[in-house]
Amino acid sequence: MSDNISGAFEWGDLEGPQVIDVVDPDDPRVDDFRDLNSVDRRPDLPSGKGLVIAEGVLVVQRMLASRFVPHAFLGTQRRLAELAHDLPGVPAPFYRASPEVMAQVVGFHLNRGVLGVARRPPS
């Protein structure tokens, strides 16, 4: 694994996640991360979509080690590089975005730079 000259991450011999660049905050592929600051639209609440949201590298790492199976990540290039050793073999796509696009998607500036989302198992 190494960074190439353009700043994109190369996985080398490891099977990393599919990295998809998101430049449009209205991209429907990141809908599970949308408007997290709006209580009535949060997907992780009982009235929401039944999702578990992990924010930050440490919490995403904990999600990966837990019973929750992430189905997508949204983050910056810097956080993708920080998670490089944790993501090989994870089938969920990593939607890479600038901090500005992430802020427009989630509804606030995200200092931690990465989110993971998993479906909450039925109770």
Side-chain angles (χ1 to χ4, degrees):
M1 290 180 291
S2 65
D3 286 323
N4 71 20
I5 202 145
S6 69
F9 200 79
E10 294 180 1
W11 295 99
D13 294 335
L14 298 174
E15 184 68 30
Q18 179 183 14
V19 178
I20 301 166
D21 289 322
V22 173
V23 295
D24 179 1
D26 294 324
D27 189 323
R29 295 175 294 185
V30 294
D31 279 350
D32 283 343
F33 302 101
R34 194 164 314 286
D35 298 328
L36 296 181
N37 66 339
S38 177
V39 172
D40 61 334
R41 299 202 55 197
R42 282 188 39 194
D44 59 329
L45 294 177
S47 62
K49 299 178 187 175
L51 301 176
V52 176
I53 306 288
E55 179 183 347
V57 171
L58 204 68
V59 182
V60 166
Q61 289 169 328
R62 288 185 179 177
M63 176 184 272
L64 289 167
S66 77
R67 65 187 174 105
F68 299 106
V69 180
H71 66 263
F73 302 96
L74 174 64
T76 63
Q77 173 61 36
R78 177 178 170 194
R79 299 305 187 223
L80 174 60
E82 289 177 25
L83 288 165
H85 296 287
D86 301 295
L87 295 176
V90 176
F94 190 102
Y95 296 109
R96 179 173 49 196
S98 69
E100 296 78 21
V101 169
M102 281 189 70
Q104 289 178 306
V105 171
V106 301
F108 57 92
H109 179 72
L110 190 70
N111 289 331
R112 291 183 177 89
V114 66
L115 294 166
V117 63
R119 302 233 180 273
R120 185 177 304 278
S123 33

